[in-house]
Amino acid sequence: MIIWCTDCGISGELEVNNGTDWTNMIGGLASGVISSPIVTTIIATSITSTSVISGGNVTSEGSSAITSRGVCWSTSASPTTLDTVLSDTGTFGIYSSNLTNLSPDTVYHLRAYAINDIGTAYGDEIIFTTAAVPPTVGGAFQGGILGYVFIPGDSRYVEGELHGLIVANQDQSTRIPWANGGSETPITVSAIGSGLTNTNAIVSLAGTAPNYAAKIARDYNGGGFTDWFLPSREELSKLFYNYSAYNFTIVSDNQPDQYFYWTSTMNFTPSGDSSAYTFALDYDASNDVYYVRPDAYLIGVSGFVRAVRYF
């Protein structure tokens, strides 16, 4: 390659490159050093599902002024300025680049670049992965529907992590008793996070015949998951406040009271009657309103079952 070097010699001269060194046309080493810029890539920070902050640092402009600098990125290795580019103003020094409109849960390759009249230089390649989009309540998630996200105070809440309840996509039964034989009364509790323990206690006492609510819920394997259970009283109550997302059966004024959903929480009353807590979504036709009705019913009567699982 032959170029005219304006800062070589007294009035400039032609320079030729043999693939390794530059020499002038009259022989000898080039009197001026001709080089591309030197740039480094800044590590990726503030990574979200659609954005990231990176940038570069031009530590040498080379033998001519910087005409462009920025970052380039791609989902393939060794991105160039022919890929997606975010340019930056300025020449020498550090610059920051805020990339947006990225795809969630995607691996990207990124390099800083700087260009002068001699050529384009790239910094080291960095690789980062954008965050996945957080699931939303009422949306499809892990074999069912995301029903509730744990908050501080819930027994399964972990700061900085996403955990909660997933609801089965449909009822597992519409007319089934709470207990196998009508008399099993294990110790159960109402709190969020207790449904699985309750269900296991009921099944352990009542046996393996699939003719009662807890066993029906425990046997469900929707989405290929085998950790479904009958929700506790407080777990099911949280779900009823977003009932439209789960197609819960609505109790109208002319339907029997037994149109309810079982919980895994027993109701121990002073009179000693064997009953379990339930929830029903009731429709008051006279006022045209829906409301959640908590009740307790004898464990031998029939109700609905909707399994849930933790994540």
Side-chain angles (χ1 to χ4, degrees):
M1 181 175 66
I2 300 174
I3 66 170
W4 179 261
C5 177
T6 59
D7 61 351
C8 298
I10 298 175
S11 58
E13 56 192 39
L14 288 174
E15 302 285 337
V16 62
N17 185 273
N18 63 7
T20 303
D21 299 315
W22 287 93
T23 58
N24 58 42
M25 294 295 289
I26 61 175
L29 293 176
S31 54
V33 178
I34 302 175
S35 63
S36 300
I38 299 176
V39 60
T40 59
T41 306
I42 295 176
I43 63 171
T45 60
S46 303
I47 301 172
T48 72
S49 59
T50 60
S51 64
V52 68
I53 295 176
S54 180
N57 183 15
V58 177
T59 58
S60 172
E61 292 185 279
S63 57
S64 64
I66 297 292
T67 58
S68 178
R69 67 178 186 174
V71 293
C72 54
W73 68 93
S74 172
T75 55
S76 300
S78 303
T80 71
T81 53
L82 297 178
D83 295 302
T84 308
V85 168
L86 179 62
S87 60
D88 184 86
T89 59
T91 55
F92 187 83
I94 297 172
Y95 57 94
S96 179
S97 303
N98 185 10
L99 285 62
T100 59
N101 298 318
L102 303 177
S103 298
D105 197 20
T106 301
V107 176
Y108 284 97
H109 301 255
L110 179 145
R111 295 195 292 181
Y113 72 88
I115 302 174
N116 66 8
D117 290 339
I118 305 305
T120 302
Y122 294 98
D124 291 338
E125 180 176 334
I126 63 171
I127 301 173
F128 65 91
T129 303
T130 51
V133 176
T136 57
V137 171
F141 188 61
Q142 292 189 12
I145 303 167
L146 180 57
Y148 175 72
V149 176
F150 294 140
I151 62 175
D154 294 338
S155 65
R156 287 177 173 262
Y157 172 78
V158 179
E159 185 176 358
E161 298 180 9
L162 188 70
H163 298 282
L165 287 169
I166 299 170
V167 190
N169 289 314
Q170 67 280 323
D171 294 335
Q172 281 64 65
S173 178
T174 58
R175 310 300 295 152
I176 196 167
W178 188 88
N180 179 14
S183 60
E184 292 79 8
T185 55
I187 301 299
T188 59
V189 294
S190 296
I192 292 174
S194 61
L196 180 58
T197 301
N198 288 347
T199 302
N200 287 337
I202 296 167
V203 172
S204 177
L205 183 62
T208 59
N211 61 350
Y212 61 100
K215 189 63 167 65
I216 290 290
R218 199 69 183 87
D219 286 347
Y220 182 61
N221 61 357
F225 295 93
T226 59
D227 54 353
W228 298 91
F229 57 90
L230 194 64
S232 70
R233 181 185 185 185
E234 294 305 315
E235 288 169 345
L236 188 57
S237 71
K238 294 295 185 182
L239 303 181
F240 263 93
Y241 290 104
N242 195 28
Y243 69 88
S244 61
Y246 321 118
N247 298 315
F248 280 130
T249 298
I250 298 172
V251 180
S252 64
D253 289 345
N254 62 354
Q255 288 180 313
D257 284 344
Q258 281 79 14
Y259 281 79
F260 55 77
Y261 286 84
W262 288 116
T263 80
S264 60
T265 305
M266 279 293 299
N267 171 38
F268 295 100
T269 64
S271 61
D273 65 332
S274 295
S275 60
Y277 283 110
T278 68
F279 276 90
L281 185 67
D282 212 331
Y283 174 65
D284 181 354
S286 61
N287 296 306
D288 192 27
V289 294
Y290 294 96
Y291 61 95
V292 176
R293 189 189 72 223
D295 293 297
Y297 283 94
L298 295 176
I299 61 179
V301 300
S302 296
F304 286 67
V305 172
R306 182 67 70 94
V308 301
R309 60 181 296 268
Y310 299 127
F311 73 92

